């Protein structure tokens, strides 16, 4: 049986993600226009604590681009938006 996860070789393993790493994300806030924003890794939380028991989390600070122009609720609906480190 084939694996459900494609064998990508360009995905950064979680073990290599460190606080302070910088990157960017892409998302669409309105219509079809893709907007870019900056990302800084704040921490990697193993086993999700109380928020997501059993799951690892990467906490990031987002800034720039649409992040400075929108309300605090803007992350709703951003799942699936790629982030590149």
């Amino acid at each position: 049986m084939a694996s459900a996860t494609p064998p990508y070789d360009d995905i950064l393993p979680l073990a290599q993600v460190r606080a302070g790493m910088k990157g960017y994300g892409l998302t669409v806030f309105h219509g079809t226009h893709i907007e870019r924003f900056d990302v800084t890794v704040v921490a990697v939380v193993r086993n999700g604590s109380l928020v997501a028991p059993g799951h690892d989390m990467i906490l990031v600070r987002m800034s720039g681009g649409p992040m400075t122009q929108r309300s605090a609720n803007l992350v709703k609906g951003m799942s699936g938006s790629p982030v590149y480190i």
Side-chain angles (χ1 to χ4, degrees):
M1 175 181 240
S3 170
T5 305
Y8 296 110
D9 61 359
D10 60 348
I11 295 176
L12 184 65
L14 183 62
Q16 294 179 21
V17 178
R18 302 278 184 262
M21 293 178 118
K22 296 185 182 292
Y24 67 94
L26 301 172
T27 196
V28 174
F29 285 104
H30 186 72
T32 59
H33 177 69
I34 298 172
E35 298 184 62
R36 182 178 170 144
F37 56 92
D38 298 319
V39 172
T40 301
V41 176
V42 175
V44 176
V45 178
R46 300 289 181 169
N47 200 25
S49 181
L50 298 174
V51 177
H55 298 276
D56 297 329
M57 297 184 302
I58 302 170
L59 304 180
V60 299
R61 177 172 292 119
M62 300 181 293
S63 62
M67 298 303 156
T68 60
Q69 304 164 10
R70 307 293 195 288
S71 73
N73 292 324
L74 62 94
V75 295
K76 293 178 181 176
M78 286 182 62
S79 60
S81 296
V83 173
Y84 302 94
I85 302 291

